[in-house]
Amino acid sequence: MRTSRSARAAVVVLCVWCLLCCGRVAAGKGGDLDTCMRLYGGSSDSVPDLLYYRTTPPDGSEGMQYAWSTVGVPTLFFSHGPVPPYCNSSVLSINSEEYREDQAYHSVNISGTDGAFAMAVVLNRLIEFNVTKRFKSADGFDPAKAFNDSSGYSSYYLNDTSLWSFSNKSLVFQLEDDSNQSNFTDKPFKFSIRATFPTRAAKQRLRYFPKTLYTENSTTFDLIVENYPYTMTPSRVALEMLLVHNQNTPSGNVSMDSTVDDEYTPSVFDTFQYLFGKDPASNGTPGFFQWKPISYQSGGRKSTKSQQANVAYASNETQEEHASIARGLASALFEPSTVSNVTLLYIVFGTSGDDTYNQSEYMTWTAVTGYGKVPHDSLSMLVIITIILGLGIPVIVILVGGGYVVYRRKPWQNVVRWVTNVRGRRGYTTLN
């Protein structure tokens, strides 16, 4: 009897598992996106100036256009809106000579971006700052001091990367500097950017940690720093980014989401996101820049070799004084008057427990940026099954067991006897 009950319980759990799996698979299915990739500028034996990538959903509606540049500051540009129905060199025009010289406005033009939602993520520089005894956490970072060349701060400006590799799903840009070596290692400094593009009209997830979730209207990128030229000890590093968007898109702010599920990213329960453009003019659909507060110190991305990636903000005064479009793809596509739509954002790598120089020669951090509904991690299958087993089965056992006990005691039979006795007494007549 016990074996039979155990078998039935196992069958029930298996059925629930199958139903949930089928639901997840059905929800995750989507048609393949129509893609277009083009290289621009440069000669046959040199590095191209720009890579263009476009995705269009199966229904042929509005799509996404992306552009990465090897000239100037590393920049990812993307826009959402009507896209050209063709995939040839005319989707983008570039004045290579003018663009290489000073990346002036209108030296690059992308078809279909006029009036559309557009944004650029500019990776401007890496800032090393000294960690004193007074400031042992990432909160000790002060963006204003980084601009004033204050003692304890030094900057490495990122510029002129090369296209290392690319495919229809991803690309890698890399900067290698043999002349700038650390005081702690004789290896050359390397800075790499690996972008992953969507291929299906559905949510997708990276296979490696932090297993970032992204949609058909977004792209992920990994920032990889190797052998950074440290000059101080103890010290940490911060990344300065510029988020540039067009004038008809209002600025936003950073918020944080929390979850109880850390299956995808062990020990990480929070997600930070910069949302903007959420107004009636854009039908409440925002642009977003999202990341998890963790960076890894090995290529294997083990949680045991990781550190926090906290966010820091520039004061309003620093923002107004120093927020300007850096020379690169953003300055070629956005008007100079768009300065009011430039946001300074800093990612500070390190934890409050790091009191000494970090000996790691490798660091990687992942973010996702795009348009539309912001991707959120839902409860994983493991957590759902755990909840079902931990709460659902005990409740069922209690209800079934309680019902069985009530049935065996048959309290309603006593009620029937009592009612019968009462009726019998009322109908009794004394005989004289």
Side-chain angles (χ1 to χ4, degrees), residues 307-320:
Q307 60 181 353
Q308 292 183 12
N310 298 304
V311 61
Y313 311 96
S315 64
N316 292 335
E317 181 180 351
T318 302
Q319 178 79 26
E320 293 176 2

Side-chain angles (χ1 to χ4, degrees), residues 194-208:
R194 178 174 60 195
T196 302
F197 297 112
T199 56
R200 292 185 293 110
K203 291 182 179 180
Q204 301 169 68
R205 189 181 295 277
L206 295 179
R207 295 180 180 273
Y208 51 84

Side-chain angles (χ1 to χ4, degrees), residues 260 364 409:
V260 297
T364 179
R409 292 186 176 181

Side-chain angles (χ1 to χ4, degrees), residues 170-190:
S170 64
L171 59 88
V172 177
F173 283 99
Q174 183 170 289
L175 181 156
E176 184 169 341
D177 189 352
D178 296 319
S179 63
N180 210 326
Q181 296 180 348
S182 168
N183 293 340
F184 304 95
T185 180
D186 57 356
K187 298 178 182 179
F189 167 63
K190 291 183 181 180

